[in-house]
Protein backbone atom coordinates (compact mmCIF):
# COMPACT_ATOMS: atom_id res chain seq x y z
CA UNK A 1 0.00 0.00 0.00
CA UNK A 2 1.52 3.38 -0.99
CA UNK A 3 2.24 6.02 1.61
CA UNK A 4 0.82 9.45 0.82
CA UNK A 5 2.66 12.55 1.96
CA UNK A 6 1.42 16.07 1.29
CA UNK A 7 3.82 18.97 1.60
CA UNK A 8 2.29 22.39 1.92
CA UNK A 9 4.42 25.52 1.90
CA UNK A 10 3.47 29.10 2.56
CA UNK A 11 4.41 32.50 3.84
CA UNK A 12 4.41 32.94 7.60
CA UNK A 13 1.02 33.04 9.29
CA UNK A 14 -0.07 36.58 9.90
CA UNK A 15 -3.13 36.97 12.05
CA UNK A 16 -3.99 34.00 14.33
CA UNK A 17 -4.06 35.20 17.90
CA UNK A 18 -2.16 33.58 20.72
CA UNK A 19 -4.00 30.46 21.90
CA UNK A 20 -5.50 29.69 18.50
CA UNK A 21 -4.25 27.41 15.76
CA UNK A 22 -4.09 28.25 12.07
CA UNK A 23 -6.07 25.50 10.34
CA UNK A 24 -6.07 27.07 6.88
CA UNK A 25 -3.86 29.64 5.24
CA UNK A 26 -3.11 30.78 1.71
CA UNK A 27 -2.13 33.77 -0.34
CA UNK A 28 -4.53 34.72 -3.13
CA UNK A 29 -3.71 35.48 -6.72
CA UNK A 30 -3.91 39.20 -5.74
CA UNK A 31 -1.47 38.82 -2.81
CA UNK A 32 -4.07 38.86 -0.06
CA UNK A 33 -4.17 36.27 2.69
CA UNK A 34 -7.02 33.99 3.71
CA UNK A 35 -6.69 32.50 7.16
CA UNK A 36 -8.94 30.33 9.33
CA UNK A 37 -8.03 29.93 13.00
CA UNK A 38 -9.40 27.54 15.62
CA UNK A 39 -9.42 28.79 19.21
CA UNK A 40 -11.55 25.95 20.59
CA UNK A 41 -14.90 27.64 21.18
CA UNK A 42 -14.58 29.89 18.12
CA UNK A 43 -13.55 29.70 14.48
CA UNK A 44 -12.04 32.91 13.08
CA UNK A 45 -11.82 33.92 9.43
CA UNK A 46 -9.69 36.77 8.12
CA UNK A 47 -8.98 38.18 4.68
CA UNK A 48 -6.61 40.94 3.71
CA UNK A 49 -3.06 42.08 3.04
CA UNK A 50 -0.22 40.75 5.16
CA UNK A 51 0.88 43.00 8.03
CA UNK A 52 -2.18 45.23 7.63
CA UNK A 53 -5.53 45.30 9.38
CA UNK A 54 -7.80 42.61 7.91
CA UNK A 55 -10.39 43.75 5.38
CA UNK A 56 -12.68 41.06 6.81
CA UNK A 57 -12.33 39.55 10.28
CA UNK A 58 -15.05 37.26 11.64
CA UNK A 59 -15.21 35.35 14.90
CA UNK A 60 -18.00 32.75 14.99
CA UNK A 61 -19.04 30.30 17.68
CA UNK A 62 -17.84 26.83 16.68
CA UNK A 63 -21.40 25.45 16.96
CA UNK A 64 -22.51 27.76 14.09
CA UNK A 65 -19.75 26.66 11.70
CA UNK A 66 -20.31 23.62 9.48
CA UNK A 67 -18.20 21.56 7.15
CA UNK A 68 -18.81 19.79 3.88
CA UNK A 69 -16.71 16.76 2.97
CA UNK A 70 -17.14 15.05 -0.41
CA UNK A 71 -14.64 12.48 -1.68
CA UNK A 72 -15.43 11.45 -5.26
CA UNK A 73 -13.21 9.08 -7.28
CA UNK A 74 -9.73 10.63 -7.20
CA UNK A 75 -10.98 14.02 -5.96
CA UNK A 76 -11.56 15.10 -2.38
CA UNK A 77 -13.46 18.35 -1.77
CA UNK A 78 -13.60 19.75 1.77
CA UNK A 79 -15.11 23.06 2.88
CA UNK A 80 -15.73 24.96 6.08
CA UNK A 81 -18.79 27.23 6.05
CA UNK A 82 -18.39 30.34 8.20
CA UNK A 83 -21.61 32.36 8.56
CA UNK A 84 -21.78 36.11 9.07
CA UNK A 85 -25.35 37.43 8.95
CA UNK A 86 -26.73 36.78 5.44
CA UNK A 87 -23.26 35.93 4.12
CA UNK A 88 -21.46 32.59 4.22
CA UNK A 89 -17.74 32.30 3.60
CA UNK A 90 -17.05 28.78 2.29
CA UNK A 91 -13.32 28.18 2.59
CA UNK A 92 -12.49 25.08 0.54
CA UNK A 93 -9.78 22.72 -0.58
CA UNK A 94 -9.90 20.29 -3.45
CA UNK A 95 -7.26 17.71 -4.18
CA UNK A 96 -6.96 15.36 -7.12
CA UNK A 97 -5.03 12.30 -5.96
CA UNK A 98 -3.25 10.55 -8.79
CA UNK A 99 -1.90 7.43 -7.16
CA UNK A 100 -0.18 4.51 -8.81
CA UNK A 101 0.74 1.29 -7.03
CA UNK A 102 4.42 2.16 -6.93
CA UNK A 103 4.40 5.85 -6.01
CA UNK A 104 2.45 9.03 -5.55
CA UNK A 105 2.27 10.61 -8.98
CA UNK A 106 1.22 13.87 -7.44
CA UNK A 107 -1.73 15.68 -6.08
CA UNK A 108 -3.24 18.75 -7.60
CA UNK A 109 -4.31 20.88 -4.62
CA UNK A 110 -6.51 23.92 -5.16
CA UNK A 111 -8.19 26.10 -2.56
CA UNK A 112 -10.08 29.32 -2.09
CA UNK A 113 -13.16 30.93 -0.66
CA UNK A 114 -16.64 31.21 -2.14
CA UNK A 115 -18.75 34.06 -0.83
CA UNK A 116 -22.54 33.65 -0.80
CA UNK A 117 -24.98 36.37 0.25
CA UNK A 118 -28.70 35.62 0.53
CA UNK A 119 -28.14 32.25 -1.21
CA UNK A 120 -26.43 33.84 -4.24
CA UNK A 121 -22.79 33.41 -5.21
CA UNK A 122 -21.13 36.82 -5.14
CA UNK A 123 -17.41 35.98 -5.33
CA UNK A 124 -14.87 33.20 -5.67
CA UNK A 125 -11.33 33.96 -4.60
CA UNK A 126 -8.67 31.38 -5.44
CA UNK A 127 -5.44 30.70 -3.64
CA UNK A 128 -2.11 30.79 -5.43
CA UNK A 129 -0.40 27.46 -5.93
CA UNK A 130 2.23 26.50 -3.36
CA UNK A 131 0.82 28.82 -0.67
CA UNK A 132 -1.83 26.49 0.78
CA UNK A 133 -1.73 25.07 4.28
CA UNK A 134 -4.79 23.12 5.41
CA UNK A 135 -5.61 21.08 8.51
CA UNK A 136 -9.38 21.19 7.94
CA UNK A 137 -10.33 17.52 8.30
CA UNK A 138 -9.37 17.49 12.00
CA UNK A 139 -12.05 20.03 12.98
CA UNK A 140 -14.95 17.68 13.78
CA UNK A 141 -17.58 20.29 12.96
CA UNK A 142 -21.25 19.66 12.35
CA UNK A 143 -21.71 18.45 8.78
CA UNK A 144 -23.75 20.32 6.23
CA UNK A 145 -25.90 18.00 4.15
Amino acid sequence: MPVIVILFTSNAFAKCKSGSKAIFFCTTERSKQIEVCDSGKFIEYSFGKSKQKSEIAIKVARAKVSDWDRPVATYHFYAVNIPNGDTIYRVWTNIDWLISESSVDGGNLTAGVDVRTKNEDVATIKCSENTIISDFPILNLRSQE
Side-chain angles (χ1 to χ4, degrees), residues 58-116:
I58 302 165
K59 183 176 182 178
V60 180
R62 183 185 202 90
K64 293 184 179 184
V65 177
S66 64
D67 66 355
W68 198 65
D69 187 11
R70 296 295 180 265
V72 178
T74 63
Y75 290 90
H76 192 155
F77 182 83
Y78 188 86
V80 172
N81 302 300
I82 303 166
N84 186 36
D86 289 337
T87 301
I88 295 175
Y89 297 89
R90 173 176 275 188
V91 183
W92 53 268
T93 59
N94 188 36
I95 191 161
D96 179 8
W97 298 102
L98 301 174
I99 301 172
S100 71
E101 288 191 18
S102 60
S103 67
V104 176
D105 293 325
N108 182 16
L109 179 67
T110 56
V113 62
D114 295 331
V115 182
R116 291 181 59 87

Side-chain angles (χ1 to χ4, degrees), residues 13-84:
F13 290 116
K15 298 180 174 66
C16 279
K17 296 178 180 131
S18 177
S20 61
K21 178 184 179 197
I23 54 174
F24 178 88
F25 176 88
C26 80
T27 301
T28 69
E29 295 167 344
R30 294 191 177 200
S31 300
K32 295 192 178 181
Q33 294 179 338
I34 300 169
E35 189 168 43
V36 179
C37 304
D38 181 1
S39 63
K41 293 182 180 181
F42 296 95
I43 301 295
E44 298 176 56
Y45 167 85
S46 66
F47 174 83
K49 290 270 189 186
S50 175
K51 299 181 183 175
Q52 294 181 13
K53 184 177 179 181
S54 297
E55 294 173 35
I56 301 169
I58 302 165
K59 183 176 182 178
V60 180
R62 183 185 202 90
K64 293 184 179 184
V65 177
S66 64
D67 66 355
W68 198 65
D69 187 11
R70 296 295 180 265
V72 178
T74 63
Y75 290 90
H76 192 155
F77 182 83
Y78 188 86
V80 172
N81 302 300
I82 303 166
N84 186 36

